[in-house]
Amino acid sequence: MLTARRRVVASAAAVLAGTLLLASCGDSDGGGSSDAKTLRLWHYEAPNSAMGAAWAEAVREFEAQHPGVKVKFEEKSFEQIQKTAPMVLNSSDAPDLMEYNKGNATAGLLSKQGLLTDLSAEATKRGWDKLLSAGVRTTSQYDTDGVMGSGKWYGVPNYAEYTMVYFNKDLFAKYGIAEPKTFDDLVSAMDTFVDNDVTPLANSGAEYLAQQYVYQLALSRADRSWVDSYELYKGRTDFHDAAWTYAAETFADWVKKGYVAKTSSGTKAEEAGVSFIQGKAPVLFSGSWWYGRFQAEAKFDWSTTLWPGSNLTLGSGGNLWVVPENAKNKDLAYDFIDITMSKKIQNLLGNKGGVPVAADAAAITDPRAKKLITDFNTLSDRDGLAFYPDWPVPGFYDVLVSETQKLITGSATPDAYLDALQEAYDKGAPKR
C-alpha cells in the first residue's frame, strides 16, 4: 500500500491491461541452495488486507515446499520501514526479504546506495520479467542514478494498485444524496454533508492521505507530459503552474468549507481508514490496498468510483519485494517471491480484493473484486496511472506531509506551500 513509487517508462498504458489476469505463472520449484532454517520476512500489510491474506497463504505454501524451514515474519509499519530501512539494511540485522516502497526516492535510492540485491538474473531465470507488463515493471528497474524504468532489477511487485473514491452508500442514502458521477456531484454531496454537520472526507494529515488529495486535484488539471516532467524529469516542474496552483488553493478552500477537518492535521492513515469503516466518514479517497479490509470490516453498503473528471489518478505496480544486499538467505527469498507470483496466490489475492498481476480471469469470482480489476483496466487502458507525489526525490514524502499539514491548519498560504515544495524538489531532483 501507500505512496512512494516511480518509473521511467514514459507511458503506463500497457500497465497490466492485456496481461493483468491472463499471464501464466509456474510454481516455485522449491529449490534454493541455502541450507538455512529460517527466512526472515518483513512487510506492513494488515492481516485481513488482500495482500496480507495472500502472503499468509504464501508462507504456508513456502513452508510446505521447504520442510524444516520456518518463516519468521516480523510485523513492521509502513512508516517504520520508510524511516529506518537505510540504517537497518546497512547493518547485519537486515531481513532476508522485505516489502518496500517503489520509486526513485525509496527503492531507487537504496539501489543507488548498494543496499539492495540485483535481481536481474533471477527475474529472467524465474520468468518474472515475462509476467509483469511494461508499465508495472517500471518500478522494478533502476539505473545507476536510482531512477526507475531502466537498468537492473531491484524489486518485484506481485500486485498492482490505484486510488479511487470510496463512499458509504448508506450515508449517502440517509441524507438523500445521489451517488457521485461527476466532480460537481462530489462537491455537491460534500456541501450537503457539511450542511448536516457531517465532515465528508476522511483524511490523515500526518501521513499520506492529505498529500494524495492535493496531488489528485493537480492531476485533474494535468496530462501525461506533466506527469513525465514531475516524476521522470522529462521537463521542468513548476509548482506555481495552473495544475499545482489549482490543487493547493482548492484543498485549502476545502478545509475552510469543512470538507476536511482541521483536526485531521495530526491524524494517521489508520485512523482515517477506521473512520470510514465505522461509518463516520462518508467519503475516503485512497488506494486499492484498503479494498480487502473494507470488504471484511465495513458493516454498511459501500461502493467505489474512479476520481470523477480526471483521466489521471495515483497508481502503479504494487510495492516491491526487495532482497537486501546483506540478506543471509537470498535463495530462500527468491523462492518466496516466486510463490507469491504463482497462480494459487495470485487468484487468492484477486478474490480477497487485491489487483493481481498473474491471475486467471475465470478464477476471480467475487463481484466486488471483479469491479476492482475492471476499473483498474479502464484506468490503465487510458494511460491513467500517474504514480505518487512523493516519488521524485529522496525525503519528499516528509516534506509533503509537513507542508500539507500547514495547509490544513492554515499556518501556510497556498503560495507559500508551493514555494516550499519547489525548493525541496529542486534541491533533490537529479541534474539530467
Side-chain angles (χ1 to χ4, degrees):
M1 88 175 220
L2 280 329
T3 134
R5 5 265 171 169
R6 35 316 246 147
R7 63 255 35 181
V8 157
V9 172
S11 171
V15 192
L16 299 176
T19 61
L20 177 62
L21 296 174
L22 301 178
S24 62
C25 177
D27 290 333
S28 168
D29 61 7
S33 60
S34 173
D35 61 354
K37 299 302 181 183
T38 302
L39 172 71
R40 291 182 62 209
L41 169 66
W42 290 7
H43 74 70
Y44 41 74
E45 305 296 345
N48 57 354
S49 70
M51 284 71 74
W55 297 347
E57 181 61 29
V59 169
R60 289 187 283 271
E61 186 78 8
F62 176 89
E63 292 182 343
Q65 292 186 19
H66 297 74
V69 179
K70 293 296 181 183
V71 176
K72 182 181 179 182
F73 167 54
E74 300 178 39
E75 184 176 359
K76 307 290 180 180
S77 70
F78 170 79
E79 293 289 323
Q80 187 177 9
I81 291 180
Q82 174 92 354
K83 293 181 182 302
T84 65
M87 178 179 65
V88 172
L89 298 193
N90 203 25
S91 73
S92 60
D93 196 40
D96 299 309
L97 181 63
M98 182 176 79
E99 179 187 15
Y100 197 58
N101 236 355
K102 56 202 173 293
N104 302 339
T106 46
L109 178 62
L110 295 191
S111 70
K112 183 179 178 181
Q113 294 172 337
L115 298 177
L116 301 182
T117 299
D118 176 4
L119 302 177
S120 302
E122 292 297 323
T124 301
K125 171 185 173 183
R126 296 172 184 261
W128 301 334
D129 56 340
K130 301 297 191 299
L131 288 174
L132 301 178
S133 64
V136 171
R137 66 173 176 263
T138 299
T139 56
S140 295
Q141 297 175 269
Y142 297 87
D143 64 18
T144 54
D145 291 325
V147 177
M148 63 188 176
S150 65
K152 297 177 179 179
W153 282 66
Y154 286 101
V156 180
N158 73 328
Y159 68 98
E161 61 186 33
Y162 66 103
T163 54
M164 67 202 80
V165 179
Y166 294 88
F167 60 95
N168 182 325
K169 296 177 70 172
D170 288 354
L171 280 179
F172 273 70
K174 177 181 178 180
Y175 293 103
I177 304 170
E179 296 179 13
K181 302 296 183 184
T182 67
F183 182 73
D184 287 343
D185 289 344
L186 180 61
V187 172
S188 177
M190 292 192 293
D191 282 332
T192 302
F193 281 121
V194 169
D195 290 343
N196 287 277
D197 297 321
V198 177
T199 301
L201 297 179
N203 182 51
S204 66
E207 291 183 351
Y208 60 90
L209 264 71
Q211 62 185 260
Q212 291 185 358
Y213 278 113
V214 176
Y215 188 52
Q216 179 58 68
L217 287 166
L219 290 175
S220 70
R221 300 295 178 93
D223 58 18
R224 175 55 56 185
S225 64
W226 184 95
V227 174
D228 288 347
S229 293
Y230 177 63
E231 299 281 358
L232 308 179
Y233 322 120
K234 292 188 174 183
R236 183 177 184 275
T237 289
D238 177 8
F239 282 88
H240 288 278
D241 67 9
W244 279 113
T245 299
Y246 166 77
E249 291 179 348
T250 300
F251 187 76
D253 186 55
W254 282 9
V255 175
K256 292 177 183 177
K257 289 180 175 178
Y259 300 171
V260 176
K262 288 187 176 181
T263 54
S264 67
S265 63
T267 301
K268 301 284 189 177
E270 172 69 10
E271 297 171 86
V274 168
S275 74
F276 183 78
I277 290 170
Q278 293 177 341
K280 296 177 180 178
V283 178
L284 179 143
F285 173 69
S286 194
S288 51
W289 50 86
W290 290 103
Y291 211 90
R293 184 172 176 188
F294 290 169
Q295 279 187 302
E297 296 184 23
K299 305 304 182 185
F300 51 83
D301 192 13
W302 58 274
S303 189
T304 63
T305 183
L306 295 174
W307 187 272
S310 178
N311 286 327
L312 298 168
T313 196
L314 298 80
S316 69
N319 287 324
L320 302 173
W321 286 127
V322 299
V323 179
E325 184 60 33
N326 287 338
K328 297 178 177 64
N329 301 302
K330 294 183 180 181
D331 288 335
L332 294 179
Y334 306 152
D335 286 351
F336 188 88
I337 295 172
D338 213 34
I339 289 172
T340 67
M341 299 294 282
S342 70
K343 288 280 186 65
K344 177 180 180 180
I345 302 304
Q346 287 287 298
N347 293 345
L348 174 63
L349 192 153
N351 278 308
K352 289 291 186 179
V355 184
V357 295
D360 283 324
I364 308 302
T365 57
D366 181 85
R368 274 198 174 126
K370 284 181 177 292
K371 183 181 188 305
L372 175 73
I373 294 167
T374 297
D375 283 353
F376 181 84
N377 286 336
T378 296
L379 184 63
S380 62
D381 284 347
R382 70 188 190 204
D383 191 18
L385 296 179
F387 317 136
Y388 293 84
D390 58 301
W391 279 15
V393 299
F396 207 45
Y397 177 85
D398 291 334
V399 172
L400 284 164
V401 168
S402 62
E403 295 302 325
T404 307
Q405 283 177 316
K406 294 176 185 178
L407 273 188
I408 297 171
T409 61
S411 60
T413 65
D415 193 57
Y417 170 77
L418 297 172
D419 282 344
L421 298 192
Q422 188 78 63
E423 181 180 359
Y425 182 93
D426 289 346
K427 182 178 179 180
K431 305 299 183 287
R432 296 170 70 86

